[in-house]
Amino acid sequence: MKKKIAYVAALALTVQLLGSCKNELDVNPQERVTLDNYYKTQADAFAALVSVYDRFGFQAGGLYDKIAIMDAACDDHLAGGGGPSDINDLQVMSTYTLNSNVGPESYLWSKGYSGIYRANVLLSKIDAIPMDAAIKSRYIAETKTLRAIFYFDLVRFFKNIPLITGTIDPSQMFDVVQAPPADVYTLIIKDLTDAIPVLPATVPAATEGGRITKGAAQALLGKVYLQQQKWPEAAAQFAIVNGTTPGQANSTYGYKLLPKYADLWNPLNKFNSESILEIVHSANSQGGWGDAGASEGNLLDIITGPRGYSQLNSTAPDYYSGYSFLVFTPEFASFIHNDPRNFPTVANLDSLQNIAKSAKYTPGYNNTGFFLNKFIAHVANKTSVGTNYDLNFPQDNYEIRLADTYLLEAEALMKAGQSGVGSRAYQLFNAVRARVGLNPVELNMDNLMKERRLELAGEGQRWLDLVRWGIAGQVLQKRGFITGRNEIFPIPQSELNNTKLQQNKEWGGTL
């Protein structure tokens, strides 16, 4: 049997495992690192683990990520940009004109399965590596949690997907078939329940910030149970993460809502007390335009900035001129206008230009004047390393944060019939409001949906919420969303060609 070849390449602070046919042709055989002779030391195992994390934070070469896709798809944003085909994957997502050949589904599929492949290889090799037993157990737990993250996204986005738990010989790769979604969820839950007892409760931010902790895996398990409408199970996991007293610090994990909402969006405020799991970015990777997606900088920071921006006086924000994507709709700007989270969330460029006269900008496509302030890059955070400033901003993205899990536990408890005044659900819900100075209100589904929309605006959660609540068709119909189809993505045609995979029936297939 031919040896399976993997190439190990260092890129800035991450290590990527590459395996394309082109690389096999281009690389000198004497320089190849085979799977059989690579996984020999603890350092090898750590490099492989980092490569799995690399896919967790992977951004498309087309300058977008999962958050950008989810934002473009929801009712609060328009794609924006420089024209109707600028970052076309976001444009077709925003207008629901995607199909199996055109759209962001190839990025989502590739990100998930390349991550799963790397995880499976490491899990298949690590038992034979001589290393500290406790460290080995932790690496396995982190890898299983990451595999669960990849599968959770894939099953939500595509429904009927292949379930691969080991390595596949190249001769068999075209014979893979899809598994029932229930089987995928069974593996996700098993991976997480295996990992949770082993993972550390906390990690030192200075040296291990961004690595998966026990609380991150429990929060993810809560989300998985919620997706399956297992309300008591979801609430139980979120309760461990959220702590005994809503609004007070979790005595085990240290999680606590930040006193100031705006501080969540300070690019230097990484791994803060509200962060449960975040995607780490760096200003030091020197990522370039030859492969923008390989940059370790946050691409959201540049694509969301206003085009042609300049300060006219020092009272204006020091925004770094960007590409004007993911602008807020006027309807959302009106919805959040009187909420304390308005300014940290929405940048009103028309007000700066026409009323305050402190700045100017160039309107882009779909311009509304309302920009995603949470992610707009600032000149003060421009990297001092290299020259590709656009691609190397350091702000991290939250995959899960505490306000999210507060509201999700409140939702699970409410669905289980526990939402009255003074209940834990009521306290969790109103702790999120109290953080921004809002008075308590009744916990009901309508108020919960409003609160999640306000609290998590622009963070990639809205579309997933709408689909999970079963109201996406109602809310997004005017955007072209078709109920019974657009709740999932089409499986990319490139994955269907010459394989046994079948397209979902929602997209004209038979599965």
Side-chain angles (χ1 to χ4, degrees):
M1 181 182 293
K2 293 182 179 179
K3 291 181 178 179
K4 302 180 184 70
I5 304 298
Y7 305 104
V8 180
L11 174 64
L13 300 178
T14 52
V15 178
Q16 298 188 43
L17 300 181
L18 308 175
S20 71
C21 295
K22 182 178 186 300
N23 284 340
E24 291 194 21
L25 293 173
D26 291 348
V27 175
N28 185 331
Q30 293 181 342
E31 297 174 351
R32 289 181 177 179
V33 181
T34 68
L35 291 180
D36 291 338
N37 66 26
Y38 178 70
Y39 292 85
K40 298 296 185 183
T41 67
Q42 183 171 309
D44 294 343
F46 181 71
L49 175 62
V50 173
S51 81
V52 185
Y53 273 102
D54 179 66
R55 303 317 283 181
F56 173 52
F58 175 65
Q59 301 172 102
L63 303 184
Y64 63 82
D65 65 357
K66 183 175 74 172
I67 292 177
I69 297 167
M70 298 294 95
D71 284 354
C74 83
D75 55 323
D76 291 343
H77 299 268
L78 299 171
S85 61
D86 195 6
I87 309 188
N88 194 54
D89 286 353
L90 297 185
Q91 303 293 342
V92 299
M93 191 71 254
S94 187
T95 57
Y96 288 94
T97 53
L98 73 163
N99 57 53
S100 61
N101 289 300
V102 180
E105 62 274 2
S106 291
Y107 158 76
L108 294 170
W109 186 279
S110 175
K111 175 184 177 181
Y113 277 108
S114 60
I116 289 165
Y117 168 78
R118 295 180 184 191
N120 287 344
V121 170
L122 176 54
L123 291 171
S124 72
K125 297 292 183 180
I126 195 169
D127 280 345
I129 299 175
M131 57 186 289
D132 180 88
I135 294 175
K136 179 184 289 189
S137 294
R138 181 182 176 189
Y139 286 7
I140 291 171
E142 288 178 89
T143 303
K144 285 187 173 183
T145 303
L146 287 164
R147 185 169 69 175
I149 290 171
F150 297 134
Y151 268 124
F152 187 41
D153 275 348
L154 286 165
V155 75
R156 286 186 295 174
F157 291 148
F158 298 102
K159 191 174 72 171
N160 294 299
I161 61 172
L163 181 60
I164 304 169
T165 58
T167 57
I168 297 176
D169 189 272
S171 65
Q172 300 173 332
M173 63 184 295
F174 298 107
D175 296 326
V176 173
V177 297
Q178 287 133 299
D183 291 353
V184 179
Y185 277 106
T186 296
L187 177 69
I188 293 170
I189 293 169
K190 184 179 187 305
D191 272 352
L192 292 173
T193 52
D194 285 349
I196 286 168
V198 180
L199 290 166
T202 61
V203 296
T207 56
E208 296 187 9
R211 292 183 68 174
I212 288 171
T213 61
K214 195 183 299 287
Q218 288 167 324
L220 179 63
L221 183 55
K223 287 196 169 195
V224 171
Y225 284 138
L226 195 75
Q227 189 75 19
Q228 297 180 297
Q229 298 185 4
K230 296 180 179 179
W231 314 124
E233 294 90 338
Q237 292 301 319
F238 290 133
I240 299 170
V241 175
N242 294 334
T244 304
T245 307
Q248 300 299 313
N250 182 317
S251 59
T252 302
Y253 301 149
Y255 300 137
K256 185 179 181 181
L257 297 174
L258 291 182
K260 295 182 180 179
Y261 183 78
D263 287 348
L264 285 161
W265 317 112
N266 180 342
L268 304 181
N269 198 16
K270 297 172 181 280
F271 318 124
N272 57 67
S273 66
E274 190 163 338
S275 175
I276 296 172
L277 181 60
E278 61 188 74
I279 295 172
V280 182
H281 292 289
S282 170
N284 300 318
S285 73
Q286 300 188 57
W289 288 105
D291 186 0
S295 171
E296 297 302 315
N298 190 335
L299 299 183
L300 274 174
D301 284 8
I302 188 63
I303 71 168
T304 57
R307 289 174 177 261
Y309 179 83
S310 61
Q311 290 175 288
L312 299 181
N313 61 55
S314 60
T315 64
D318 68 329
Y319 295 139
Y320 187 88
S321 185
Y323 307 151
S324 70
F325 281 91
L326 306 178
V327 290
F328 282 114
T329 64
E331 188 273 334
F332 177 78
S334 177
F335 175 73
I336 199 174
H337 181 71
N338 292 319
D339 188 273
R341 289 159 288 201
N342 179 32
F343 180 74
T345 302
V346 180
N348 188 335
L349 268 294
D350 283 349
S351 177
L352 289 175
Q353 178 170 272
N354 301 324
I355 299 176
K357 300 188 184 302
S358 59
K360 63 179 181 179
Y361 79 106
T362 302
Y365 181 64
N366 289 149
N367 183 59
T368 63
F370 303 113
F371 290 76
L372 180 46
N373 203 21
K374 290 179 177 179
F375 292 113
I376 300 175
H378 289 255
V379 173
N381 301 119
K382 185 175 73 172
T383 181
S384 59
V385 178
T387 58
N388 292 308
Y389 306 127
D390 291 6
L391 304 179
N392 293 283
F393 284 93
Q395 182 178 6
D396 289 357
N397 292 339
Y398 299 107
E399 180 77 6
I400 309 174
R401 63 181 176 89
L402 193 61
D404 182 17
T405 58
Y406 268 31
L407 293 173
L408 290 176
E409 185 186 348
E411 180 179 345
L413 290 170
M414 179 176 60
K415 290 294 182 66
Q418 305 171 43
S419 60
V421 174
S423 67
R424 177 174 170 85
Y426 176 89
Q427 292 172 9
L428 287 159
F429 173 70
N430 282 295
V432 175
R433 292 174 55 81
R435 186 259 295 276
V436 295
L438 294 174
N439 292 326
V441 297
E442 176 188 359
L443 173 57
N444 55 44
M445 198 61 198
D446 186 56
N447 283 341
L448 179 90
M449 290 191 292
K450 290 178 180 177
E451 196 63 32
R452 285 189 63 81
R453 187 182 184 190
L454 291 163
E455 175 70 25
L456 302 167
E459 298 177 51
Q461 299 292 339
R462 174 71 173 168
W463 186 84
L464 292 165
D465 281 346
L466 292 174
V467 172
R468 180 167 55 82
W469 293 329
I471 61 172
Q474 171 190 336
V475 174
L476 295 167
Q477 182 178 16
K478 62 183 179 181
R479 296 282 283 271
F481 186 105
I482 298 175
T483 301
R485 184 178 77 176
N486 289 119
E487 290 85 354
I488 60 173
F489 289 79
I491 295 172
Q493 187 61 44
S494 59
E495 302 298 330
L496 300 172
N497 294 335
N498 303 314
T499 72
K500 292 185 177 180
L501 299 183
Q502 300 177 55
Q503 184 61 270
N504 288 309
K505 62 182 180 180
E506 291 87 346
W507 288 93
T510 58
L511 194 61

